[in-house]
Amino acid sequence: MKDNSSHHAAEELLRKVALLEAENEALQRQVQALRQEQSQQAAVKSSAAPLHPLEKVARLTNSEIARYGRQLILPDFGIHAQLDLRNSSVLVVGAGGLGASCILYLGGAGVGRLGIVDHDTVDTSNLHRQVIHNEARQGMSKAHSAALSVRLLNPHCNTVVHDLVLDSSNAQPIIDSYDIVVDATDNVATRYLLNDACVLGGKPLVSGSALRLDGQLTIYNYRGGPCYRCLFPTPPPAETVTNCSDGGVLGVVPGIVGCLQALEAIKIATKMNTQDPPTMTLFSANSTTMFRTIKLRKRKAECIMCGDAPTITRLIDYVKFCGSSATDKTPDLFLIPLQERLTCEGYKKILETHTPHLLLDVREKVQFDICSLPSSLNIPLKDLELPESIEQVKKRLNAKDEPVYIVCRRGNDSQPAVRILQEQGITTGDIKDIVGGLNLWTDKIDPSFPKY
Amino acid sequence: MPHFTVLYFASAKDAAKAESEKLDWSSGIDAAALTRLLVQLHPELDQVLKTSMFAVNMEYMDQDQSWTVQPGDEVAVIPPVSGG
Ligand SMILES: [Zn+2]
């Protein structure tokens, strides 16, 4: 009996040792991977245009054949398509939600040269969709981080980092040095810039976009098909454009569109799609029909960019043309003079002195549900003008001269809300909004208040 | 009464507060008449339609081309999406 139990204990110890050894080995591998990442990081250098042309090869090396074997044995792909891919260069503009999947799949598939344009830095609030970056790279240049991920995935792919904001002064030579351009950007101005530069440079433009639960995919300026301006000649007014930061986006949605962009770029590089008519693919994540394909026409003869008599023959000022900047950052609104507004510190004093007032929060309900200041009343800006909303505000006022303070996420929506309540003459007291909104409240007053 | 269907995408879906709807068909609904009809039904569509494209039965239609909605047609309102 005694013998049996000591035997049992020894067995248990051996089992634990084996477990620890396995764990140790896994940790060693992780250390090695991190070391490799560090050395690769040092190797990824920004390259200033002009680039030397991509050196073409007539055959793949043995290690390339081993790596791409699953594609090489595909009857509809094979060695010729793989060689075409190896001998082509693709420029991906944007290493965000669309670029994340697109860049990884293009790099993994064996594109010869992969250029990456982005001037932003890695931010944890974007990692839900920008899965090519990671937590440890917070603050690192996104173009560098994306190139690093590709090098770790496939050292055969020649990555080129363009850590810059693309504009009309620098875009043309960069675009001219690639075979295919992928539009994975997040703003209207850069979309028109890329379209025009691709028409001028004669490059196919694989354009993708995503917001909330919807995505779009089109190849522009390819085999007689339309350009972006043929379909959308007028840029939407800046105030009607929603970005991911304000509208929200489910991370996997740009991921899906980015995968489709990688696929289309591969099909162009390997001439798989030369018979296909131009189309636009619409992706709706929560519709019963997730994918719809719209048949497009040929380019428009009267298009000012790609038509028979184009009036745009060189790049223009796209920030001016679109009335919005070449980023997806929400600009600050200056509708009401600063001295007529309330600072975070000012509102803190009102709370501390228990001054009677009504705090109106004009964010959408879905945002109000995340976090809100105590005893605030939530009426979204878009509903504020409704008679029942005005009634609701009036009901909450305890005196005719009770001040109303208005707060939102960034201090933008709160300004038109002030104007609406002023027009309604809702109180004889102050109607003011809080500068910088709840975001600034977290930064200046209460670091424990959630920021999103 | 013959009908036609309108499909709303992206910001058009938000403005119309619907993914699709069935409307009564009448003769002579061209691009301009369709725009007027949709804005009348959903005033918030006014801005969106200024920069959207139409597709009829999954085929792109020029705004300035002569075409009219036929009974049973499926008209898609497609605004540009710019996010990423
Ligand atoms: Zn065009």
Side-chain angles (χ1 to χ4, degrees):
Chain A
M1 184 71 193
K2 197 189 163 201
D3 252 20
N4 200 4
S5 80
S6 71
H7 180 75
H8 206 78
E11 229 174 38
E12 179 71 4
L13 271 175
L14 278 174
R15 203 181 58 83
K16 274 188 181 159
V17 167
L19 267 175
L20 285 170
E21 270 172 355
E23 204 175 305
N24 183 38
E25 231 169 81
L27 283 170
Q28 295 274 8
R29 273 199 301 273
Q30 267 186 41
V31 168
Q32 206 189 338
L34 282 171
R35 286 221 176 99
Q36 196 191 344
E37 172 153 346
Q38 265 180 343
S39 67
Q40 291 280 358
Q41 200 165 331
V44 178
K45 286 269 181 303
S46 270
S47 150
L51 283 166
H52 62 89
L54 177 66
E55 216 172 288
K56 309 255 160 130
V57 296
R59 62 185 50 152
L60 298 176
T61 63
N62 280 359
S63 76
E64 284 174 312
I65 288 172
R67 171 174 292 262
Y68 306 124
R70 305 296 184 276
Q71 287 175 179
L72 296 176
I73 59 172
L74 258 181
D76 292 329
F77 201 80
I79 186 81
H80 297 293
Q82 191 68 53
L83 257 175
D84 282 342
L85 206 53
R86 162 63 185 79
N87 286 329
S88 54
S89 57
V90 181
L91 180 71
V92 181
V93 184
L98 298 162
S101 56
C102 184
I103 291 166
L104 283 175
Y105 274 105
L106 287 176
V111 165
R113 176 179 286 164
L114 191 54
I116 301 164
V117 181
D118 206 307
H119 195 48
D120 217 350
T121 52
V122 176
D123 187 300
T124 43
S125 73
N126 290 324
L127 290 182
H128 75 114
R129 68 184 190 284
Q130 299 178 5
V131 294
I132 194 170
H133 313 299
N134 62 53
E135 185 78 22
R137 297 186 196 158
Q138 170 125 2
M140 183 177 174
S141 132
K142 272 162 65 175
H144 274 97
S145 165
L148 178 57
S149 295
V150 172
R151 291 177 71 113
L152 291 168
L153 177 69
N154 182 3
H156 294 277
C157 178
N158 170 218
T159 55
V160 181
V161 172
H162 302 278
D163 184 0
L164 45 82
V165 176
L166 214 58
D167 61 29
S168 34
S169 76
N170 59 18
Q172 203 65 60
I174 296 177
I175 279 167
D176 288 348
S177 52
Y178 289 88
D179 301 323
I180 300 162
V181 179
V182 174
D183 182 349
T185 58
D186 54 16
N187 66 84
V188 182
T190 311
R191 290 187 182 278
Y192 280 95
L193 164 69
L194 285 177
N195 178 70
D196 293 2
C198 283
V199 172
L200 292 173
K203 308 288 176 177
L205 176 62
V206 182
S207 171
S209 59
L211 185 74
R212 295 190 171 145
L213 296 166
D214 299 303
Q216 290 178 356
L217 169 84
T218 316
I219 306 173
Y220 293 111
N221 194 43
Y222 182 60
R223 304 187 63 247
C227 82
Y228 190 63
R229 284 182 190 264
C230 290
L231 301 191
F232 303 111
T234 327
E239 63 276 12
T240 68
V241 178
T242 312
N243 60 23
C244 289
S245 161
D246 289 341
V249 61
L250 190 67
V252 63
V253 170
I256 287 165
V257 178
C259 282
L260 294 174
Q261 288 180 280
L263 177 63
E264 294 296 357
I266 290 170
K267 281 157 73 178
I268 294 172
T270 60
K271 306 170 196 80
M272 276 171 81
N273 62 351
T274 48
Q275 299 306 313
D276 298 350
T279 57
M280 172 184 279
T281 303
L282 303 173
F283 174 65
S284 315
N286 67 344
S287 162
T288 43
T289 315
M290 278 205 282
F291 288 98
R292 281 192 174 84
T293 304
I294 308 287
K295 226 161 98 193
L296 299 176
R297 300 275 172 86
K298 293 209 165 307
R299 68 179 176 85
K300 266 190 192 167
E302 66 276 20
C303 175
I304 59 169
M305 191 66 225
C306 74
D308 295 339
T311 55
I312 299 176
T313 51
R314 44 179 290 195
L315 298 180
I316 60 168
D317 184 340
Y318 295 89
V319 171
K320 206 168 126 195
F321 172 63
C322 299
S324 58
S325 75
T327 71
D328 77 333
K329 308 279 184 283
T330 311
D332 287 334
L333 181 74
F334 298 102
L335 183 67
I336 295 179
L338 219 55
Q339 58 271 22
E340 290 174 30
R341 304 175 67 193
L342 193 61
T343 59
C344 287
E345 290 83 357
Y347 185 66
K348 185 176 174 242
K349 246 179 225 143
I350 284 163
L351 283 182
E352 282 167 353
T353 54
H354 303 287
T355 311
H357 71 280
L358 171 66
L359 181 65
L360 178 67
D361 188 327
V362 293
R363 291 174 299 155
E364 290 292 312
K365 186 184 177 298
V366 66
Q367 296 188 34
F368 188 80
D369 287 346
I370 302 171
C371 55
S372 63
L373 287 175
S375 69
S376 50
L377 170 67
N378 180 220
I379 302 175
L381 176 64
K382 67 170 174 25
D383 301 331
L384 194 56
E385 275 175 297
L386 300 175
E388 58 262 39
S389 300
I390 298 298
E391 244 350 271
Q392 213 184 337
V393 176
K394 276 185 182 159
K395 247 189 222 153
R396 283 283 292 263
L397 292 175
N398 297 308
K400 273 200 168 113
D401 61 348
E402 189 166 300
V404 177
Y405 301 122
I406 304 173
V407 73
C408 63
R409 186 179 175 196
R410 309 178 201 274
N412 285 349
D413 282 357
S414 54
Q415 297 178 57
V418 167
R419 290 287 186 248
I420 290 171
L421 293 193
Q422 281 171 340
E423 274 162 31
Q424 297 283 340
I426 206 138
T427 175
T428 56
D430 274 349
I431 303 174
K432 287 185 173 182
D433 77 307
I434 300 176
V435 179
L438 293 169
N439 266 359
L440 202 63
W441 181 263
T442 303
D443 293 345
K444 292 225 163 156
I445 308 294
D446 181 6
S448 75
F449 193 80
K451 197 171 160 181
Y452 55 91
Chain B
M1 189 90 172
H3 290 95
F4 68 100
T5 307
V6 185
L7 303 175
Y8 298 105
F9 290 91
S11 57
K13 188 161 56 183
D14 299 332
K17 296 184 185 69
E19 200 175 304
S20 71
E21 63 187 340
K22 242 186 187 154
L23 300 177
D24 290 341
W25 177 85
S26 57
S27 64
I29 304 178
D30 59 6
L34 182 64
T35 302
R36 280 195 302 274
L37 176 67
L38 296 182
V39 170
Q40 201 182 350
L41 286 169
H42 312 283
E44 280 184 60
L45 270 174
D46 186 32
Q47 274 300 334
V48 179
L49 284 169
K50 284 187 179 127
T51 54
S52 295
M53 62 173 238
F54 286 133
V56 177
N57 302 326
M58 297 295 130
E59 203 166 317
Y60 170 82
M61 285 292 145
D62 246 339
Q63 297 270 10
D64 36 13
Q65 222 173 8
S66 58
W67 53 275
T68 54
V69 179
Q70 301 302 310
D73 271 358
E74 193 180 58
V75 183
V77 179
I78 307 166
V81 171
S82 57

